[in-house]
Amino acid sequence: MPSATELPPDLSNPQYSPSRVSFPMPKNPKIIILIAMGILILVLLFFNFLFSSSRKNPQNINPTPSPVLSTPTPTILPVNIPTQFQDPLNQIDQLLQPESDFLPPELNPQIN
Amino acid sequence: MFWLLPAFLALAQSPSPALFQQYQTDYLYQRDQYTQDYKVYLEKTDIDKQYHSISTQKDKNDAAQKAIASRNLMLKTYLMALRVKLEDYKSANPDATSAIQSNLSSYESWLETNQDLNTRYVAIQQSIYSALVQHQINRQQSGLNLLQNLAGQITNPLLDSLPGKYPQITSHFQQALQLTQKPQYTTFSNFYPEVKTELTKSQNLLIDISTTLKYALSH
């Protein structure tokens, strides 16, 4: 039995809809903007939290291949080579690197 | 302050790269200048063909003079940059390199006083490409000298095959140099692509030697 304070809905009212849940929508645009900004800040904080937690736990990050590793790795590591030979070998490597040609300009020898 | 000393020493030991950068910048500026002047000359030539008046002919001649001057200046700055670049590995073949540098220098002087490039164009082209070839040979020769020196310090049966490769490399250098002496006639026959084939072979041999040496050193 409904109590005296709990009045039954007025079914005769044509605007009444039992499935419609009504929220009090603010009519002031400033309040709407403030709410939107608040939601945006919350979303940003959420992503920031996700990012910082994944950085704290590096095992959660999928290993991405580094550019160095993706290139063909040399079969001989420099650490295996005695120290006194590393400097001359580096010099040799530099000399054996391809060098761009300093080609002459294209010109017209016949201007008249 | 003492940390500056190695930097100064490094600069003193290799003045060529910095000087080359400066000369190259000058050359690139002159190249842009020539491109602009030559474009103007072509425009004035077209206008003169259309109207053929005294005024348009004068404009064309003025533009031609300007284009010739900037072309020769551009070529001169290129020759200067190339001559400086040859300093990089000159110690590998000092006499041959000095001869080419002297040749380039003589053309630089010639360009200052002469305008008709047509008379020396083929000879200048030959000198330019000979210089490029010599520079690459010097660079590879420097690498070969270092490799030979290093291999001489190590006793390892893996390196027994190396001495047989040194004459092969030198032979490619000789063939490359012979190609630069190819007789030239009224038009320049560019030997550079053939030279590149020879120098690629010598380069591959050098890389092969270097790999063998590293392998021997790490085992």
Side-chain angles (χ1 to χ4, degrees):
Chain A
M1 284 291 287
S3 65
T5 53
E6 287 176 31
L7 291 173
D10 184 9
L11 298 176
S12 62
N13 185 354
Q15 289 184 343
Y16 174 75
S17 168
S19 61
R20 190 170 161 183
V21 181
S22 60
F23 290 102
M25 284 297 288
K27 289 181 181 175
N28 191 341
K30 284 181 183 173
I31 294 169
I32 295 170
I33 290 166
L34 278 172
I35 291 166
M37 283 178 71
I39 291 166
L40 187 69
I41 288 164
L42 284 172
V43 169
L44 286 172
L45 282 170
F46 175 69
F47 278 108
N48 184 41
F49 169 75
L50 279 181
F51 181 68
S52 59
S53 63
S54 64
R55 275 177 62 178
K56 280 174 190 168
N57 301 306
Q59 66 271 23
N60 292 343
I61 306 167
N62 289 327
T64 50
S66 69
V68 175
L69 291 174
S70 63
T71 53
T73 48
T75 49
I76 304 153
L77 293 169
V79 286
N80 296 344
I81 295 171
T83 324
Q84 72 268 28
F85 297 119
Q86 285 190 4
D87 200 33
L89 279 171
N90 283 336
Q91 281 184 47
I92 290 165
D93 280 348
Q94 281 180 7
L95 286 168
L96 298 182
Q97 288 289 317
E99 192 190 41
S100 60
D101 285 348
F102 184 51
L103 292 174
E106 284 183 21
L107 49 84
N108 183 0
Q110 290 174 318
I111 300 174
N112 47 36
Chain B
M1 285 300 284
F2 287 109
W3 65 271
L4 283 170
L5 192 63
F8 281 129
L9 282 173
L11 280 172
Q13 280 170 357
S14 58
S16 174
L19 199 60
F20 171 70
Q21 291 296 327
Q22 189 188 324
Y23 278 64
Q24 191 185 29
T25 307
D26 288 349
Y27 156 63
L28 293 173
Y29 171 76
Q30 291 302 334
R31 194 182 64 176
D32 290 347
Q33 198 66 45
Y34 166 67
T35 309
Q36 283 175 24
D37 291 343
Y38 187 65
K39 198 178 159 190
V40 171
Y41 161 72
L42 291 177
E43 284 168 9
K44 299 290 180 192
T45 308
D46 281 349
I47 293 168
D48 185 48
K49 272 180 191 165
Q50 281 177 35
Y51 301 103
H52 206 64
S53 68
I54 294 169
S55 167
T56 57
Q57 198 167 13
K58 186 185 176 298
D59 285 352
K60 189 194 102 174
N61 290 341
D62 289 348
Q65 285 301 314
K66 203 174 174 191
I68 286 168
S70 65
R71 178 199 63 191
N72 288 10
L73 188 57
M74 171 192 68
L75 192 54
K76 189 190 154 197
T77 53
Y78 172 79
L79 293 174
M80 284 165 73
L82 186 58
R83 180 166 51 80
V84 169
K85 194 176 174 66
L86 278 167
E87 288 290 329
D88 286 352
Y89 308 105
K90 189 179 176 179
S91 58
N93 292 294
D95 293 341
T97 311
S98 287
I100 289 173
Q101 283 178 313
S102 170
N103 206 14
L104 293 174
S105 190
S106 71
Y107 287 126
E108 287 166 35
S109 305
W110 184 85
L111 284 163
E112 282 173 12
T113 50
N114 292 274
Q115 289 203 325
D116 188 9
L117 183 61
N118 222 13
T119 57
R120 297 280 176 96
Y121 185 62
V122 173
I124 291 174
Q125 289 280 312
Q126 188 168 15
S127 284
I128 287 170
Y129 282 101
S130 298
L132 290 171
V133 173
Q134 189 64 56
H135 172 74
Q136 287 175 43
I137 288 175
N138 290 352
R139 188 177 154 92
Q140 289 193 13
Q141 182 73 59
S142 303
L144 177 62
N145 292 346
L146 280 172
L147 283 168
Q148 279 182 300
N149 185 32
L150 204 57
Q153 296 173 41
I154 306 152
T155 311
N156 190 317
L158 289 166
L159 305 179
D160 288 350
S161 64
L162 296 193
K165 288 178 182 171
Y166 303 145
Q168 289 178 44
I169 294 169
T170 316
S171 168
H172 288 304
F173 292 165
Q174 290 302 321
Q175 285 175 49
L177 287 171
Q178 275 176 16
L179 285 164
T180 65
Q181 302 302 316
K182 206 171 161 180
Q184 299 289 336
Y185 302 103
T186 49
T187 53
F188 177 61
S189 166
N190 198 348
F191 46 78
Y192 200 58
E194 285 178 81
V195 167
K196 286 295 270 185
T197 310
E198 290 298 329
L199 294 181
T200 304
K201 286 176 188 170
S202 52
Q203 174 85 354
N204 288 341
L205 281 165
L206 286 167
I207 292 167
D208 192 28
I209 293 171
S210 171
T211 310
T212 310
L213 201 59
K214 283 178 188 170
Y215 186 78
L217 283 167
S218 59
H219 284 80

